[in-house]
Structure formats: structure tokens, C-alpha cells
Amino acid sequence: MHVLILGAAAGGGFPQWNCHCPNCKGLREGKINAQARTQSSIAVSSDGENWVLINASPDLREQINSRPQLWPDASISRGTRIASIVLTDSQIDHTTGLLTLREGLPLPVYCTDVVQEDLTTSFPLFTVLKHWHGGLVQHTIDIDFHQPFVPEGAQGLTFQPVVLESNAPPYSSYRDNIVPGNNIGLKITDDQTGNVLFYAPGCMQANKTVRQVMGEAHCVLFDGTLWANEEMIDHGFSTKLGTDMGHMPVNGENGAIALLNEFNVERKVLIHINNTNRVLDEGSQPYHSLREQGIELAYDGMELEV
Ligand code: MLT
Ligand code: MN
Ligand code: ZN
């Protein structure tokens, strides 16, 4: 299976437009060794022709325009290689790119019933988009891990939902009170090779299924939002811990590195990286420590063969 990282940053991107943290300022002023990153989205394909977009970021237009793999066939006047869309939650950074797709609707979109509820009530993107060629054609993802699904255009790949402990967005009626389905990860298996990709951009705590899938995976794309749980508080940007927002820190005893170190996975990659995260500075100790432990940092345009 082919995996394309369209955007590796968390909400806000890197640098974030109004942020002057050492990373954002350092990148703008050319004073740190770091790469800009757009907001969270990936695409997967089994044949390299038809792609499934997983999460649609506010930077989607720029992401599509800079990735030739997603450009339409030269013989048609308009079109796309994006055959369908899968959403892992109802966050702004994972859904507002749907607005960018309006000229190309209808398109199939797959999400859980509670994500569909958010996107038709408190953040009614699906409702708004009905005015463009009927809008998105919604398909419900059953949260049962044993109910696999194959999104349109993904023949040869099997998707399984992995319920994640995280949080729902601030506008959701499930904020701080989540139910299974507000956040899912995806286990994606290549039917031919049996190889497994595990994508989990927002995870606060690893449950049994997360651990099981990590044990089976050839490649894990995992929540790399914050280096430290207190990071946003320390910067004076928020009163919330990372875990309050639904993200485990990368560092520390209960962090992503410690979790990933428990498993023998060929490629361990952090994704959904917040602009404040120290690993973004490639001259920093956290970056070197990450690399020494065999963990990679996703970047825009990164291609993975799983
Ligand atoms: C998150 O992952 O917690 C959100 O994307 C944060 C945000 O939307 O800024
Ligand atoms: Mn996010
Ligand atoms: Zn910043």
C-alpha cells in the first residue's frame, strides 16, 4: 500500500499564523533547523491510481496542488484521484478541507455516527455541503473492530476502526464526555501482502485494541502532538494539559515514545505534531533522542510503502 503524508502538523500548522513560540518564531526567522508543515491529513492507495483521503485539513487545496499523485488524469477536463474520504473525528483540522472539495462533490465520506452527528449539528459541514451537487454521500463506520470496511477506491485494502481514548472538539456535545466513536484510529491491511498500517493521530491512552494493533503493524503513524503534557500551559497558551485535549505527550513514562518502544514495528512515525513540540527543531535534544530510538517524524510529502 502507498501512503502519502499530506500534512504532518496538528491544528494551526507549523508555523501557526499568530504564534511566536520558539519553534514558530525560529522557523520564520530561519534560526532553527526545521521544516514547515501543513495540517493533519494523509492519503492511502493500493494501486497508486485511486486514493482514499484520510482526514481533510484546512490546507487541503495546497496539499492537493503540491502532490502530483492526486492530480486528475490528463485526458479529463475536471476530476480527481480522490475516490473517497474517511474521517477519524470531527475536529476542525480534520474536516474543514471538505469545504475545499465542494467543486468535486458528490464524494463518498466514511465516519462514525457520532462524528456524523457533530458534522450535522454543532458543526454542520455536511449540511452546508448539501448545496453542492447534493453534497457528501455519507457512509457510517461501525465502531466494532470486527466490522471491516472498504472505502470506495480502496479495493485491496481492508479498513478496521480502532476506538481511541481521546477527546471531542470544543463545539461537540461530547466534549469531555466522549463515547466510543468520537475518535477512531484505523488499522489498514493490504490484502495481498498482509502488511498493516496503523494510523492514530489523536490518542490519550492506549487501550487493549491499540496495543493489539501496534503488535501487528508494519507501520504506525501515531499522535505526536505535544512533547510534554504541560507544554501549552508552560507557554501560557492554554490552561489545559495535553491529556485534557485528548493527546498523550510524546515524552515521559506515559508517553508515545515509551509506548512505541514496547513494540517491534518496522516504521514508527509521529504525526499530528503541534507547532510547540520541541521535536520539530532538528537541532534539539528531543529530536535526537527520538531518532536514536528509531522513531521518525512525519513531514509533508513523506511517502511510505507499507
Ligand atoms: C486537537 O487535535 O486537539 C485539535 O486539532 C486542536 C485544534 O483544533 O486546534
Ligand atoms: Mn487535531
Ligand atoms: Zn508556535
Side-chain angles (χ1 to χ4, degrees):
M1 109 178 71
H2 313 285
V3 184
L4 185 53
I5 308 301
L6 299 177
F14 177 48
Q16 180 174 314
W17 68 280
N18 66 339
C19 189
H20 311 290
C21 73
N23 281 346
C24 290
K25 191 166 152 47
L27 179 67
R28 261 187 227 107
E29 294 176 355
K31 294 202 173 125
I32 60 168
N33 179 18
Q35 280 185 57
R37 286 168 169 84
T38 61
Q39 294 167 84
S40 186
S41 176
I42 70 168
V44 299
S45 174
S46 69
D47 58 11
E49 296 282 321
N50 299 288
W51 292 83
V52 178
L53 184 68
I54 307 183
N55 292 326
S57 107
D59 301 318
L60 186 59
R61 179 180 172 278
E62 171 193 343
Q63 292 168 345
I64 294 173
N65 283 342
S66 55
R67 300 289 152 232
Q69 295 96 323
L70 302 180
W71 297 351
D73 196 300
S75 66
I76 54 170
S77 57
R78 275 193 177 175
T80 178
R81 290 190 190 276
I82 297 170
S84 60
I85 306 133
V86 178
L87 303 176
T88 61
D89 52 62
S90 58
Q91 291 176 20
I92 284 181
D93 60 344
H94 286 158
T95 59
T96 43
L98 295 172
L99 295 170
T100 296
L101 298 175
R102 65 194 178 283
E103 297 94 350
L105 297 182
L107 274 170
V109 65
Y110 299 74
C111 64
T112 64
D113 55 358
V114 282
V115 166
Q116 195 252 355
E117 183 189 329
D118 278 351
L119 297 176
T120 49
T121 56
S122 50
F123 188 39
L125 282 179
F126 286 180
T127 316
V128 169
L129 285 168
K130 279 196 194 314
H131 296 276
W132 279 266
H133 319 289
L136 293 153
V137 182
Q138 199 256 333
H139 300 268
T140 302
I141 301 175
D142 188 320
I143 53 163
D144 181 356
F145 179 67
H146 301 290
Q147 291 287 332
F149 64 103
V150 182
E152 239 169 87
Q155 286 67 28
L157 302 178
T158 298
F159 284 55
Q160 285 171 269
V162 178
V163 167
L164 300 177
E165 325 296 321
S166 187
N167 203 348
Y171 41 83
S172 170
S173 57
Y174 298 99
R175 179 69 167 181
D176 298 330
N177 195 17
I178 59 162
V179 294
N182 286 125
N183 302 275
I184 57 164
L186 294 165
K187 174 186 173 185
I188 308 174
T189 308
D190 185 309
D191 300 340
Q192 221 149 52
T193 61
N195 286 354
V196 169
L197 168 72
F198 181 34
Y199 174 59
C203 182
M204 196 263 285
Q205 204 178 6
N207 59 29
K208 205 169 135 239
T209 319
V210 167
R211 288 177 178 277
Q212 180 197 320
V213 177
M214 277 199 175
E216 298 165 346
H218 296 76
C219 176
V220 175
L221 293 172
F222 196 74
D223 189 342
T225 309
L226 302 175
W227 176 253
N229 203 20
E230 316 73 35
E231 190 166 309
M232 299 301 276
I233 300 173
D234 289 349
H235 279 288
F237 295 161
S238 170
T239 54
K240 293 195 161 57
L241 294 170
T243 43
D244 296 331
M245 298 186 291
H247 301 288
M248 72 172 70
V250 170
N251 194 31
E253 214 182 317
N254 301 312
I257 295 178
L259 175 66
L260 290 167
N261 279 345
E262 289 179 39
F263 300 92
N264 184 19
V265 184
E266 245 166 72
R267 298 200 67 177
K268 304 173 180 179
V269 185
L270 294 181
I271 196 157
H272 189 277
I273 309 152
N274 196 55
N275 56 75
T276 50
N277 190 326
R278 294 173 61 201
V279 289
L280 287 168
D281 176 352
E282 294 177 24
S284 70
Q285 192 275 327
Y287 176 80
H288 289 292
S289 133
L290 194 75
R291 299 299 286 126
E292 275 159 23
Q293 295 179 81
I295 301 174
E296 300 172 75
L297 212 53
Y299 54 87
D300 294 14
M302 184 183 200
E303 294 178 31
L304 298 155
E305 293 299 322
V306 180

